[in-house]
Amino acid sequence: QVQLVESGGGSVQAGGSLRLSCVESGYGSSSKCMGWFRQAPGKEREGVANFDTAGGSTFYADSVKGRFIISRDNARKTLYLQMNDLKPEDTAMYYCAVSGPGAYCSPRFAPYEYSYWGQGTQVTVSS
């Protein structure tokens, strides 16, 4: 059974930083797309960044380019999202997600392309 467990959320002031972690277990394939999504109250879930475990390529939403960095530690089976220069509009529940085996990442960030989801971790940025 695939499980994704996020951690690292919290409350920070604008301009601050947080690092989110997502520990993966139960996934047999090493080739997949892993991504971070977020959802603010009253808004649709949106893709933030994704990481192709086969080749290491990444995509970022325009709203976070230059501020967020996605990475993965293969040995620890952990996906990270380093978030710098946080803004109040980054406030949301952040979710880790993984595609089916062999899937490639795309900049579409379509939620239907991801098969498994974590429970989320809350990020709150105050001005």
Side-chain angles (χ1 to χ4, degrees):
Q1 182 178 358
V2 177
Q3 284 192 319
L4 302 172
V5 180
E6 303 100 330
S7 62
S11 297
V12 296
Q13 291 191 327
S17 298
L18 285 173
R19 188 177 79 157
L20 306 184
S21 300
C22 171
V23 179
E24 161 208 339
S25 63
Y27 200 108
S29 173
S30 61
S31 177
K32 53 192 176 284
C33 178
M34 298 193 73
W36 288 98
F37 287 75
R38 67 187 181 187
Q39 188 166 20
K43 295 187 177 182
E44 292 187 356
R45 188 169 297 191
E46 63 172 349
V48 175
N50 58 27
F51 183 97
D52 190 320
T53 63
S57 61
T58 59
F59 292 103
Y60 293 91
D62 288 343
S63 58
V64 306
K65 281 181 182 176
R67 300 188 298 123
F68 290 11
I69 300 171
I70 189 170
S71 62
R72 174 175 164 81
D73 183 327
N74 290 329
R76 297 177 184 270
K77 294 187 177 181
T78 300
L79 184 74
Y80 299 100
L81 185 68
Q82 177 67 43
M83 305 186 295
N84 301 319
D85 190 23
L86 282 161
K87 303 177 180 182
E89 51 263 42
D90 295 318
T91 295
M93 184 71 79
Y94 282 71
Y95 298 91
C96 173
V98 64
S99 71
Y104 294 97
C105 287
S106 82
R108 287 191 302 271
F109 293 109
Y112 64 79
E113 294 179 341
Y114 296 81
S115 301
Y116 305 98
W117 294 80
Q119 81 290 349
T121 185
Q122 177 67 38
V123 172
T124 303
V125 184
S126 59
S127 58

